[in-house]
Every structure is written in C-alpha cells, then in structure tokens.
Amino acid sequence: MATNIGMMDSAYFVGRSEILSWINSTLRLNLSKVEEACSGAVHCQLMDAVHPGMVPMHKVNFDAKNEYEMIQNYKVLQDVFNKLKITKHIEVSKLVKGRPLDNLEFMQWMKRYCDSLNGGLMHSYNPLERREASKGGKEVSKKSAASHSTAKGSTAASKAQSSHNARRNDASSANPTNQAIKASKPSVAVPAYDEQITELKLSVDSLEKERDFYFAKLRDIEILCQSPEFERLPIVLAIQRILYATDDDASVVADAQAMLSQQEKEAEPLSPIAEASEEKASSDTQKRKNIVNLDVDAVGISNLSPRQRLSDVSDVHCSGSPLMTY
C-alpha cells in the first residue's frame, strides 16, 4: 500500500490531463483544472470509492467556497487517514489557496494510492448516489450531467454536419467543373499535422516532468533549510532570501551575498576568550623575561672580584642602610 511515496516516485510524473481524466471518469465529474478540487470534497469521495463506507459523506461539502468550509472537508479526510493509519501529511494551508502545483502533487499521490488498492478498480461504485448525501452533491451531479449532455449534443451536431458535408461533396462530385476546381486546389497534408500535434504533446509532457522534477528538488532544499538546527545559519538565510523572492530580479542574489559578507564582518572581532588567552600569553612572556634577568644578575655578582664585593658592601654601609648598623 503506497502510503509513503518519495518525491522521485513515478507517481509525481503523471500529467495534468491524465489526472483530470481519471477524476472525471471515476467520480463522473467535469473538472477542467486540477485546482478546482482544492475544496477537499473530491479527495474525500475518492477515498470513499476505494474504502466504501469509511468516509461519512454527509459531512462532506461539495459547495464549499470559503477556506473555513474547505478546512472542514480536510478534517473529514484527516480523520479517514487516521482510521486507516495513513501517515501522509496534508498541507491544508497550501491546498485551500488553490495553488496548481500543490494541488497537482497531492492529487498525484491520491491517484497512486487508489491505484495501489485492487489495481484502482471501482466498477461497483456509484459516485452519483454517494454524492447525494453530501451538501451540494446533487447540484454538482446535475452540472456534470448537463455538461456531459452538452458535449454529446455537440458531438452529434458535428457528426450531422460532417454527414451533410459528405452529401454535398457527393452531389458536387457529379459535376465535372467542380471536380476540375477541386483538382486545382492543393490537398491538405493531414498526417503531417497529426505528427506535429503528437510531437507537441510529447514536448509538453516532457516539460511538465522536468518542471516537477526541479520543483521537487527545490522543495527538498526548503525542507532542509527549515530544520531547527540549520534555519538560523547565515548561508541558510541567504538561500531562503533567494527561494522566497517574489520577482525575477538580479538584486536578490546581490542581497544574499551582502547578508553573508555582513555576517563575516561581524564575526571578525576577537571573542573575550581569545583576548584573555592573549593577555595570559603576554604575562607568561614577561615572567620568563624577569627570570632571565635575575639569572643574569646572579651570574654577574658571582663573577665580581673580592675587592669589588667589599666595595659594594662599603657603599651600602655608607648609604646608611639599616642592615649594616650595629
């Protein structure tokens, strides 16, 4: 069971079109963007589809427009996760904002989880019936049914138009003049356009995968910078300055470099411990000099002659030293 999926898992390389097709076919909805599921109601019903009866659908609000209403849906989803012992973290504050990348990432995880259970097979599940118990569920089902009927009507109209055009072409083909005019017009190379469309789709899918890959890398760096043991380091603050910049300005990098250089200048003065160690070293040096001077004086006295020593003593006596009085 895929409860913990790494950022480099193949689940996070599934495109938006595939995700939308999976949601709409599973729940009979008509979403055009992944972020339209930011209210959390779709996530709750997807969990209800793979775990029938586990989700209290009467607490789910499909008509949630405000953030506090969406948060209630995510609380229902979190309770289901707790009951199933799923350790996936739900970033509610980001999802309710309707951010495309955050909602796409979480929906990619949902698809991977649902596919891991019975191969994603939910043939016996009736999403319309289960959605009727929810607030706003009937209205969502009606809108989806109306959009499906409109799509079917447009498809039927296009088929009728194509058949009408075919009849007109058959009628005009009987006229040799029309045939000559058509022969003079260049034929459109339809297969060439099909190849170009296929190449463009492949290019878009490749770009989406590359974008998601580098977004995952930046997300890993952000998580590392938010660690308590690193978040106060100067280099981490400089990296966050670049990550959280709201505009594409070259001065952002210069600001980050200025933050680092300022921190280095503040760290240049010696600490009190270093100053104390220098004072101690200078004191030891002075002591060693005094000891050497005493040794030199002792050696000089020992080298004096007896007459010089008596002269020194007499000088002391004459000076009235208390040591020489009787």
Side-chain angles (χ1 to χ4, degrees), residues 20-320:
L20 286 172
S21 177
W22 170 69
I23 296 173
N24 293 332
S25 61
T26 302
L27 302 181
R28 297 184 189 177
L29 294 173
N30 191 31
L31 301 182
S32 58
K33 297 179 182 179
V34 177
E35 52 268 28
E36 291 180 7
C38 64
S39 65
V42 174
H43 305 89
C44 291
Q45 190 167 13
L46 287 173
M47 292 299 296
D48 182 68
V50 294
H51 296 287
M54 184 63 67
V55 180
M57 292 299 294
H58 63 279
K59 294 183 179 180
V60 179
N61 185 4
F62 276 89
D63 195 29
K65 297 295 188 297
N66 301 315
E67 289 190 6
Y68 68 91
E69 295 175 329
M70 298 178 185
I71 291 173
Q72 294 299 323
N73 289 334
Y74 284 107
K75 285 183 178 180
V76 174
L77 183 64
Q78 186 63 63
D79 292 339
V80 175
F81 278 16
N82 294 336
K83 291 178 182 178
L84 297 173
K85 297 181 180 180
I86 299 175
T87 58
K88 172 67 176 176
H89 176 63
I90 304 175
E91 296 181 348
V92 180
S93 59
K94 293 182 178 180
L95 294 175
V96 296
K97 299 293 183 182
R99 296 176 180 177
L101 287 178
D102 294 326
N103 282 273
L104 175 62
E105 178 185 338
F106 190 67
M107 194 59 75
Q108 286 170 336
W109 180 92
M110 289 290 299
K111 185 178 187 306
R112 178 71 174 86
Y113 177 80
C114 294
D115 290 343
S116 66
L117 299 174
N118 300 323
L121 298 176
M122 294 172 281
H123 298 300
S124 59
Y125 183 73
N126 189 345
L128 300 178
E129 182 180 352
R130 289 290 295 167
R131 201 157 49 231
E132 288 181 357
S134 305
K135 182 180 179 181
K138 293 182 179 180
E139 288 76 8
V140 172
S141 299
K142 289 179 181 179
K143 290 180 181 179
S144 300
S147 60
H148 282 298
S149 62
T150 303
K152 289 181 180 179
S154 61
T155 304
S158 62
K159 289 182 178 180
Q161 183 66 26
S162 62
S163 62
H164 178 66
N165 291 334
R167 287 194 298 269
R168 289 182 61 185
N169 291 334
D170 292 339
S172 62
S173 62
N175 192 345
T177 304
N178 292 333
Q179 289 181 356
I181 295 173
K182 288 183 179 180
S184 64
K185 294 182 180 179
S187 60
V188 180
V190 176
Y193 288 123
D194 292 339
E195 291 179 0
Q196 291 180 3
I197 292 172
T198 304
E199 291 178 358
L200 290 174
K201 287 182 178 179
L202 292 175
S203 178
V204 170
D205 291 339
S206 177
L207 290 174
E208 287 184 351
K209 290 181 180 180
E210 185 176 1
R211 178 205 59 200
D212 295 340
F213 172 78
Y214 286 110
F215 172 77
K217 290 293 183 183
L218 292 174
R219 177 59 181 155
D220 292 340
I221 294 173
E222 182 184 22
I223 293 173
L224 182 63
C225 292
Q226 291 175 351
S227 300
E229 62 269 20
F230 300 134
E231 62 180 354
R232 295 299 179 186
L233 294 178
I235 184 65
V236 172
L237 295 176
I239 292 173
Q240 289 179 341
R241 175 71 178 89
I242 297 174
L243 283 177
Y244 298 144
T246 57
D247 53 353
D248 188 8
D249 190 358
S251 62
V252 175
V253 178
D255 294 343
Q257 292 176 347
M259 292 170 62
L260 292 176
S261 60
Q262 183 179 2
Q263 185 66 26
E264 291 177 357
K265 289 180 181 178
E266 293 177 355
E268 284 181 358
L270 293 175
S271 63
I273 297 176
E275 293 177 356
S277 62
E278 284 192 355
E279 291 178 359
K280 185 178 180 181
S282 62
S283 177
D284 293 341
T285 303
Q286 186 64 33
K287 287 181 180 179
R288 285 196 295 270
K289 288 182 180 179
N290 293 335
I291 293 172
V292 171
N293 292 333
L294 290 174
D295 292 341
V296 171
D297 293 340
V299 172
I301 294 171
S302 64
N303 291 333
L304 292 175
S305 63
R307 183 177 293 177
Q308 290 174 336
R309 293 177 186 177
L310 290 175
S311 177
D312 292 340
V313 171
S314 63
D315 291 340
V316 173
H317 184 268
C318 293
S319 64

